[in-house]
Amino acid sequence: MPCEVMAACVQSCCAKSAMIKSLAFDATRSLIHGTGLCQLMVDLSLVDEVWCRIQEEARAVAEEEPLLHKLYDDLVLSHETLESALSANLASKLAVPALLSTSVLRDIFSTVLGNDSEIRRAIRVDLHAARDRDPACDKMVHCFLYYKGFMALQVHRVAHRLWIEGRRSVALLLQSRVSEVFAVDIHPGARIGAGVLLDHATGLVIGETAVVGDDVSFLHGVTLGGTGKEIGDRHPKIGDGVLIGAGTQVLGNVRIGEGAKIGAGSVVLKPVPPRTTAVGNPARLIGGNEKPARLGSRAGLTMDHTSWSACTT
């Protein structure tokens, strides 16, 4: 179902999404939602709530600021799917005149996104992460169009897929262009989960064998690097829900436990237990190694950079 047809009803229907989601559907069933409100048969497998929300926000911005009407029309409203819009936007930013055309890049992005449902899911979870965790992000469409951390991460997802498929020259090309354009350098071999926020993102470096879990939040100037010329598995492993503050360096094949917090400017050379806070150079655990103060919530979700303990257990 084209999003244009749904747009008028999504504003009201998605506002009632809690009710929709509470109902069980299978692939062959549909729902008539609201007599007189939305006389449409809605197959939930075709409803892309995130994309419809982005389009509705784009329409609102275009109406509020006519100078931006063509921009939002070209980048959002003229596309039928989120993947089409994202592919075109990324391609236009990374193209090199006379050397690397927009159309070639768009085809690369479109092909990978069209064939990888896990990336498509991760894109949407990343958008929710930015909207929920970044107080500066009041519209999802702004993240989609303007946030270089979000864009760099999506290019990495495509590059990683190419890397594991053996198309390493193309993957490294994408890494290089992202580094040049967005000042974010993520090796295509790195594995990154969903719901990841790269807040500001400038100066972020992630090495080849790094692994990043779900719901992780990074600030700018973070390095997940090695400690020298060692080969093999040599980069950090970041658990789910971790918060890594600005200017932090995590070096070597060390594990940062689930829900932990790394304070801004820290240099981490040793493992950090789950739901604890590490600060300083070299980093030390708040409360000491024997009985570190415990965080009550995953720091990557709360985005609390200042308090070092929500509870002590």
Side-chain angles (χ1 to χ4, degrees), residues 92-102 177:
S92 68
K93 292 183 180 298
L94 300 182
V96 181
L99 293 176
L100 185 61
S101 71
T102 300
R177 289 300 295 145

Side-chain angles (χ1 to χ4, degrees), residues 15-307:
K16 301 175 177 60
S17 59
M19 182 177 72
I20 295 175
K21 292 174 184 176
S22 68
L23 300 176
F25 289 86
D26 59 40
T28 61
R29 295 184 61 190
S30 59
L31 169 71
I32 299 178
H33 181 74
T35 303
L37 173 64
C38 180
Q39 298 296 333
L40 292 173
M41 298 282 287
V42 180
D43 180 347
L44 292 189
S45 68
L46 297 179
V47 175
D48 186 345
E49 183 179 344
V50 170
W51 178 235
C52 289
R53 178 174 179 176
I54 289 171
Q55 287 209 317
E56 285 303 301
E57 290 176 348
R59 288 189 184 91
V61 171
E63 291 175 3
E64 293 168 3
E65 185 50 80
L67 289 175
L68 297 179
H69 186 277
K70 186 178 188 310
L71 176 71
Y72 277 78
D73 186 61
D74 290 347
L75 297 181
V76 177
L77 299 174
S78 64
H79 295 273
E80 292 188 357
T81 66
L82 184 154
E83 288 72 25
S84 171
L86 183 60
S87 296
N89 191 27
L90 294 177
S92 68
K93 292 183 180 298
L94 300 182
V96 181
L99 293 176
L100 185 61
S101 71
T102 300
S103 61
V104 167
L105 285 170
R106 185 173 60 242
D107 288 345
I108 292 172
F109 293 131
S110 296
T111 299
V112 173
L113 296 180
N115 292 331
D116 196 315
S117 60
E118 186 58 28
I119 295 180
R120 295 196 299 271
R121 185 192 71 85
I123 292 168
R124 288 155 175 81
V125 181
D126 293 342
L127 285 164
H128 273 293
R131 179 64 185 86
D132 294 342
R133 293 180 225 159
D134 183 354
C137 183
D138 62 349
K139 288 183 172 61
M140 202 176 280
V141 70
H142 291 163
C143 174
F144 184 76
L145 293 178
Y146 305 145
Y147 283 28
K148 64 181 180 179
F150 168 77
M151 290 185 279
L153 181 56
Q154 307 324 312
V155 178
H156 168 73
R157 297 194 186 284
V158 172
H160 180 68
R161 171 53 56 187
L162 296 170
W163 181 264
I164 64 178
E165 290 177 352
R167 300 182 64 187
R168 298 196 167 186
S169 293
V170 180
L172 290 170
L173 170 65
L174 294 179
Q175 175 197 5
S176 176
R177 289 300 295 145
V178 167
S179 180
E180 294 169 1
V181 174
F182 299 131
V184 175
D185 194 349
I186 307 175
H187 192 283
R191 291 182 285 155
I192 300 180
V196 172
L197 172 63
L198 309 184
D199 195 352
H200 296 288
T202 302
L204 177 74
V205 177
I206 298 180
E208 177 184 5
T209 62
V211 178
V212 176
D214 296 333
D215 301 322
V216 175
S217 296
F218 293 90
L219 272 290
H220 52 283
V222 169
T223 297
L224 303 184
T227 57
K229 295 180 66 176
E230 71 274 20
I231 60 175
D233 193 359
R234 61 197 183 277
H235 294 108
K237 309 298 182 280
I238 310 300
D240 295 345
V242 169
L243 172 62
I244 303 184
T248 291
Q249 316 297 303
V250 187
L251 304 178
N253 187 9
V254 298
R255 181 169 298 278
I256 309 301
E258 172 266 335
K261 180 193 303 187
I262 312 299
S266 298
V267 177
V268 182
L269 303 174
K270 296 180 179 180
V272 176
R275 300 211 184 209
T276 59
T277 300
V279 297
N281 179 9
R284 66 190 186 281
L285 299 181
I286 296 295
N289 292 335
E290 298 303 319
K291 193 176 181 181
R294 302 285 293 176
L295 296 168
S297 302
R298 285 182 172 183
L301 298 177
T302 65
M303 298 298 289
D304 182 357
H305 292 266
T306 56
S307 66

